[in-house]
Structures are given as C-alpha cells and as structure tokens.
Amino acid sequence: MSYPCAVFPEEVDLLVSGLRRFPVADIGTPAWFDQNEAILKLTQQSYIEASTNQEEVVKERLVAEDRLPVLVHEMYCVLVWRSRVLPKLLVGDLEATFVLYSVLYYEMNVAAVLETVLYHRNSCEALGGVVLDLIDYCASAVGLLIGMTSCERVEGGGEELLNESGKEEVERMNEQMAFKIGMKCLSILGSLMSNLDVLPLSAASRVTKVHDVPCLVAEILHAKPWLRKRKGIEKFVNDSWKPVYGEEITKVTKTEAQTWFCLFGLLFNESTSRNYEINDFRQREIGKCVGLMNEQLLDQLPALAQLKQFLCTLQMSGNGSGGSKKSDLLLEELPEIKDGLMEEARKFGWSKIVQAHKEIFVDLTQEQLTSVAKRLNAAYNTDLLEKINSGTDDGGHRICSTCKKPAEKRCSKCESVFYCSR
C-alpha cells in the first residue's frame, strides 16, 4: 500500500541530522531559511505519518539523532526574537510583511512537530534536562492563552483587515500565532504530564512549585479557548475555527480531551501529589472543575469518572492542608536555554541585531522580495496536507480514512470523513 508523503524516507535522515541551534542574531540568514524549510517539511511529514497510521520515521530519527533539545532551543530563539527584536522592526512603514511571517510560522511549526512526536513515551524521555525549559515555555504560552480568550483580534475579518497598516497586520498575525502555539502547548503539556515518571525528578517540582500547572490547567478548562461564540458556535479544530451544530456542540475536541487528561495525570501522579500542597486557594480553584464534568463529557471520556470522584471529595473535605510540603530534592536542575540566548544576544549587541534584521526583513529591494517570495511560496505549498484533511487522493477521489482504499460511505455524524465499508 502506498502512503502520501511530503518528504521521501531517504530525505528524512538528511533533514533531521542537519538541524542545529541558531543564535538570535542568525535568524533570517540563508542557513536559517534552509532550516526553516527543513522544519516545515518535517512538520508536514510527521503529521501525515501520525494521521495515516504509518511508521513514524520522523519521530524515530529525531529521537535517535537527539534533535528534540534542538527543537526546544529553536522555539525559545524565536520567542526571544519576538519579544526583543520584532517590536523595533515595526517602527516604520512595512511594505512587505510576509518575510516577517516566516519567522512566526517557524516557531509554530517547531511546536507542531513537538506536539506530534511527544505523544510517544520514548520521545518525552529523550528530552532529558531540556524538558524543564519546555515546561517553562508551555506554562508561559498557556498563561498567555488564558488572557487571549476574550480578545476579538485572535481571528479578524471584514473591512478592518483591508484598511490595517503593515504594523497592525504583523501584530495581528503575531497574536494569531501565539494563540495557535498556546493550543499546541496544551497538547504538549498533556503528553508530558502523562509521562512524568520518565522525566527528570526536577520536572515534577517545576510543574508544581514554580508554575502551579494544576491550577493553570483548571483555569484553562473554565476559559475554554477551543470554543467561541460569534454568529454561531465555533470550535478550534486542526488549527482553524469551524462552525458546529447540533450534537457537534457537545463533542469534545482533541485539545479539550488532552487538557482534561493533563489535569488527571497531575492529580494522580505520585511524584506531583507528594510535593503539591492543596491549600484553600488550590482546593477552590481545582475543585470547581467538577461543575464542568457533565454527562456528555463523561460519556466521551469515561476515564474521567475517577477524576470527578476525586474532585467531589476535594470539595467536601473542608480546609486544605495547612503547612507547605518540602521538596525531596537536595539539588535541582534549572532551565538554561532562554538565559543562554539572552546572554549571547547581549554580548553580540541588541542594536546590531536590530539593524541587521531591519536589512533582512524590512529594507528589501524588489529583487530580494521576489526571490524570498518564490522561496517561501514553494516551501509553504500545503496542497498535500489539504488532500489528506479532505480525504481525497491525487486524483481527487474519495479515500477511506482508515485504510486509504477507494471509499463511498460517508460518516453519518460528521459528514466529512469517508470509509470503504460499514
């Protein structure tokens, strides 16, 4: 049986082995653009492999070549660039904004690769000490996501988009990318919390004592960033908002389910519960999640019945524990990636970085714009992924969602997926 692919198997090894860490100053260089394209191809291929039940070659090579720490470093590199360099590039008029988009998409694509491959236990274990940096990154992105749930600019539309300036356009795109990254970080956190026992001991302490992830997840469950009401009810599925009707409104999305299981993993994990003090505030914040656990949720996620019983007991147990719990760790690892990037950029000179990136991303000649546009257009050709998501082959024929054979029967519930038999 032939499967679709964005990258031939023999190319995967070359793309993975070529991944390396870039300093902030090197963003936008030819070598960085080469890696940008490589990350995009690996993102597409990993998604195709996971969605079509193929052997996950990208995941295996990333683990074997020890490249997962490199991906975490690259996310932080763009995060530092977005916070320290991008605002200074938006001072003047911007004629071509698509070059700046490539940097924003780079961070989201790296997050997408991690979201896919960290579903597996051995991938989480392969992170090693870098998992502390990843926990910090995800906690920050999820915290930002809570504040964005009521922001109307997450998904704009109408005449306002036609009249906005280049600066406003980039700011809007930056906000959209931050939202999508936050949603992916929810999935990443869910995978990490489900595999806490194979992570370094400092990970549990980081989760409970530094970021208070159980309360953070409880807040996300109430904020429901995957759901919004505009002209109708919409849900965030496959990186886009889609209108839902009837029974689809109560259907649990993938991200929502992973968030619930993230809370489940945190509260029932021995290493976190041993060092996590349930005080009055935490008892109140986490306990109120029981109000969200209706019959429709438990019918779709029956494993959460144990969590509901625990939350009910927590609500009725009176005051939380009084004293703070001491950590079992005498020596604790600390994240290093962000501080290292900031120090490296400081030594190079922030003003030099801004000036160099202004020449790369803002002050471009027409020939440079044409060259970059052709390169990005070829790299971001997503026709293959659209075929995979639409359930058609190269000839536009309908294919079975499970075995990829010609299909005639449509799913009676979602009416978008086809199968070759009942």
Side-chain angles (χ1 to χ4, degrees):
M1 183 188 304
S2 61
Y3 290 104
C5 66
V7 183
F8 291 112
E10 56 270 20
E11 292 184 87
V12 173
D13 286 349
L14 294 175
L15 293 176
V16 171
S17 61
L19 297 179
R20 66 181 183 89
R21 296 172 174 84
F22 282 89
V24 177
D26 285 354
I27 290 179
T29 60
W32 182 88
F33 270 110
D34 289 339
Q35 180 151 303
N36 189 343
E37 294 181 22
I39 290 290
L40 176 62
K41 291 178 181 178
L42 292 174
T43 302
Q44 294 176 342
Q45 183 61 23
S46 63
Y47 172 80
I48 292 171
E49 289 174 351
S51 60
T52 57
N53 297 320
Q54 299 182 45
E55 179 184 356
E56 298 191 34
V57 178
V58 173
K59 186 265 295 184
E60 295 297 339
R61 296 313 305 162
L62 287 171
V63 172
E65 296 283 347
D66 194 26
R67 287 301 188 269
L68 292 180
V70 176
L71 295 180
V72 178
H73 177 278
E74 290 304 282
M75 284 203 305
Y76 265 108
C77 184
V78 180
L79 177 64
V80 172
W81 182 88
R82 281 198 294 120
S83 61
R84 297 298 299 269
V85 179
L86 180 60
K88 296 180 181 179
L89 299 179
L90 302 180
V91 176
D93 295 331
L94 297 175
E95 295 183 2
T97 57
F98 63 87
V99 188
L100 290 171
Y101 293 170
S102 64
V103 187
L104 304 179
Y105 274 106
Y106 179 73
E107 183 182 6
M108 191 186 73
N109 286 331
V110 175
V113 175
L114 289 173
E115 178 191 19
T116 303
V117 303
L118 290 179
Y119 177 81
H120 301 277
R121 186 179 181 85
N122 66 326
S123 300
C124 295
E125 188 175 8
L127 286 168
V130 176
V131 73
L132 303 177
D133 299 270
L134 184 56
I135 289 172
D136 282 8
Y137 180 94
C138 290
S140 176
V142 171
L144 181 62
L145 187 62
I146 295 174
M148 295 174 66
T149 51
S150 60
C151 182
E152 293 296 324
R153 289 188 59 191
V154 171
E155 191 84 5
E159 296 182 0
E160 294 180 0
L161 298 183
L162 299 176
N163 299 324
E164 65 183 1
S165 64
K167 177 182 178 181
E168 292 172 337
E169 184 181 352
V170 174
E171 289 175 343
R172 175 175 56 82
M173 180 62 68
N174 187 24
E175 192 172 330
Q176 289 181 1
M177 291 300 105
F179 179 84
K180 292 180 179 180
I181 289 171
M183 297 295 284
K184 293 184 183 302
C185 284
L186 278 176
S187 299
I188 294 173
L189 266 183
S191 298
L192 294 178
M193 297 309 102
S194 298
N195 297 287
L196 264 175
D197 54 322
V198 299
L199 302 182
L201 294 176
S202 300
S205 176
R206 198 83 185 164
V207 164
T208 55
K209 295 186 177 297
V210 178
H211 297 295
D212 197 356
V213 175
C215 280
L216 183 66
V217 172
E219 189 64 31
I220 274 287
L221 287 170
H222 279 84
K224 297 181 179 179
W226 46 79
L227 179 69
R228 73 177 185 183
K229 296 180 180 179
R230 292 290 176 90
K231 296 181 179 179
I233 297 178
E234 297 176 319
K235 287 193 174 185
F236 194 76
V237 181
N238 293 332
D239 289 339
S240 62
W241 290 102
K242 297 181 179 179
V244 291
Y245 310 95
E247 293 182 358
E248 288 293 310
I249 297 176
T250 59
K251 186 177 180 180
V252 178
T253 65
K254 176 184 174 182
T255 306
E256 182 181 2
Q258 289 173 322
T259 307
W260 276 110
F261 284 120
C262 180
L263 182 63
F264 183 94
L266 284 166
L267 296 180
F268 286 91
N269 184 275
E270 182 180 354
S271 58
T272 54
S273 61
R274 184 173 60 247
N275 298 313
Y276 190 61
E277 175 201 354
I278 305 292
N279 54 30
D280 292 339
F281 171 77
R282 290 168 174 170
Q283 180 187 37
R284 183 169 59 254
E285 289 299 307
I286 299 174
K288 67 182 182 182
C289 289
V290 72
L292 302 173
M293 306 186 76
N294 51 40
E295 292 183 5
Q296 290 86 354
L297 176 68
L298 295 178
D299 285 343
Q300 298 172 71
L301 305 174
L304 295 182
Q306 186 180 1
L307 176 61
K308 183 175 183 179
Q309 183 179 3
F310 174 84
L311 295 178
C312 290
T313 304
L314 184 65
Q315 279 190 322
M316 300 176 62
S317 61
N319 295 328
S321 57
S324 61
K325 297 184 178 181
K326 294 183 179 180
S327 174
D328 295 336
L329 298 176
L330 297 178
L331 294 175
E332 187 171 345
E333 294 180 83
L334 294 175
E336 300 176 349
I337 292 178
K338 185 176 181 180
D339 290 341
L341 284 165
M342 296 288 285
E343 179 64 19
E344 194 174 19
R346 186 189 65 79
K347 290 181 179 179
F348 187 88
W350 287 107
S351 59
K352 292 181 180 179
I353 295 175
V354 172
Q355 183 59 38
H357 288 188
K358 187 176 181 182
E359 295 175 2
I360 295 173
F361 297 107
V362 180
D363 299 333
L364 295 171
T365 64
Q366 190 61 42
E367 291 182 359
Q368 290 173 321
L369 279 175
T370 304
S371 176
V372 174
K374 289 180 179 179
R375 183 171 187 173
L376 293 178
N377 182 58
Y380 283 84
N381 186 353
T382 57
D383 291 344
L384 179 60
L385 292 184
E386 290 179 0
K387 289 177 182 178
I388 297 295
N389 288 327
S390 63
T392 60
D393 59 12
D394 293 337
H397 304 295
R398 295 165 181 167
I399 56 176
C400 177
S401 174
T402 302
C403 66
K404 308 306 171 188
K405 294 180 180 179
E408 296 293 337
K409 298 185 180 296
R410 186 196 300 265
C411 174
S412 61
K413 189 171 185 180
C414 69
E415 297 185 353
S416 60
V417 178
F418 289 84
Y419 297 97
C420 61
S421 66
R422 295 183 64 86

